[in-house]
Amino acid sequence: DAGVIQSPRHEVTEMGQEVTLRCKPISGHNSLFWYRQTMMRGLELLIYFNNNVPIDDSGMPEDRFSAKMPNASFSTLKIQPSEPRDSAVYFCASSFEGYGFPDTEAFFGQGTRLTVV
Amino acid sequence: AQKVTQAQTEISVVEKEDVTLDCVYETRDTTYYLFWYKQPPSGELVFLIRRNSFDEQNEISGRYSWNFQKSTSSFNFTITASQVVDSAVYFCALSRGLTGGGNKLTFGTGTQLKVEL
């Protein structure tokens, strides 16, 4: 299995531009998570999808951030407009949740390092 | 609210020394998972272990061992005979429940481990 695939690995953009981060979860997994890692706030959960439906977006910092999961094999995290304080490493992770069974552990992608100048 | 505390910001040891990384957690949930992840200099997050709140048995995997004590809300991680390749940031994390979001993780701030020759 190729694991969770994120693209791009690095992104440098100018303040005010739209940025789209992409994630392909592990095949067969039905839950997807976006996390953000910064020096100031550490690793924090942004949003959690189950069966392509956003279940918990309480970690999304503000309206400039949006996430979608149009199908089981693809998710995007969009920032519009981007600001320098959005500079961070964004991780996508996936797992499998079965009814009545403990969830499998989450496997993380390699992350996208976003720099907003 | 959930909280994970890793009081050790940085630890330096000489190769072959044993080292213990501390993790203390707070939760009102009765069922939860505890995790350890490793983040090497390359930046990815590598899953090491997951324990559920009902299983306080210590676990050993090669040079790694984990000690889970609910009485002290701790989940400590010991590396025996450390090696230079163990140099990384290690994160302890806590989930909400075992099913349905069992990978919605609250992370600690991490412990930077440096193993020198």
Side-chain angles (χ1 to χ4, degrees):
Chain A
D1 196 320
V4 177
I5 299 173
Q6 292 186 244
S7 63
R9 292 291 312 279
H10 302 273
E11 177 81 33
V12 180
T13 190
E14 291 186 349
M15 182 174 62
Q17 296 298 305
E18 177 179 298
V19 176
T20 299
L21 310 181
R22 297 172 175 79
C23 175
K24 176 178 170 55
I26 292 173
S27 177
H29 282 186
N30 60 359
S31 290
L32 184 138
F33 307 81
W34 284 99
Y35 286 86
R36 179 172 69 174
Q37 184 176 29
T38 62
M39 289 296 293
M40 291 296 294
R41 299 177 65 89
L43 276 157
E44 53 183 345
L45 176 66
L46 299 179
I47 188 167
Y48 151 55
F49 291 88
N50 181 248
N51 293 323
N52 312 334
V53 176
I55 304 299
D56 183 354
D57 65 356
S58 58
M60 295 287 265
E62 48 196 278
D63 291 346
R64 297 184 298 104
F65 285 70
S66 63
K68 294 182 179 180
M69 193 163 186
N71 57 61
S73 58
F74 184 65
S75 176
T76 60
L77 178 67
K78 184 178 295 186
I79 308 172
Q80 165 64 17
S82 57
E83 296 182 2
R85 60 195 170 114
D86 302 330
S87 297
V89 179
Y90 292 82
F91 288 100
C92 176
S94 72
S95 68
F96 177 77
E97 296 181 18
Y99 181 75
F101 295 92
D103 306 342
T104 66
E105 63 269 27
F107 292 91
F108 283 75
Q110 293 192 300
T112 294
R113 181 174 295 278
L114 173 65
T115 303
V116 182
V117 297
Chain B
Q2 296 193 311
K3 185 177 180 181
V4 176
T5 301
Q6 295 180 256
Q8 304 153 308
T9 304
E10 186 173 319
I11 301 175
S12 290
V13 299
V14 176
E15 201 175 38
K16 298 184 183 178
E17 285 185 4
D18 298 347
V19 58
T20 295
L21 309 182
D22 297 333
C23 173
V24 175
Y25 64 94
E26 297 175 30
T27 182
R28 293 183 178 179
D29 296 335
T30 55
T31 57
Y32 50 87
Y33 282 121
L34 290 162
F35 300 75
W36 278 95
Y37 281 87
K38 174 182 180 179
Q39 188 172 43
S42 50
E44 70 270 27
L45 283 165
V46 179
F47 168 82
L48 295 179
I49 190 172
R50 181 181 72 172
R51 303 293 285 180
N52 73 55
S53 50
F54 300 109
D55 185 359
E56 287 190 72
Q57 277 193 333
N58 291 337
E59 181 156 341
I60 298 174
S61 176
R63 296 185 297 107
Y64 296 170
S65 62
W66 291 270
N67 180 263
F68 175 24
Q69 292 193 348
K70 287 179 76 170
S71 61
T72 56
S73 296
S74 65
F75 186 46
N76 296 336
F77 173 31
T78 297
I79 302 174
T80 303
S82 60
Q83 300 176 0
V84 173
V85 294
D86 296 327
S87 297
V89 180
Y90 291 86
F91 291 95
C92 182
L94 171 66
S95 77
R96 294 296 305 269
L98 303 182
T99 61
N103 291 296
K104 290 171 56 179
L105 304 181
T106 298
F107 282 89
T109 51
T111 297
Q112 170 81 61
L113 174 64
K114 295 183 178 179
V115 182
E116 300 168 334
L117 292 171

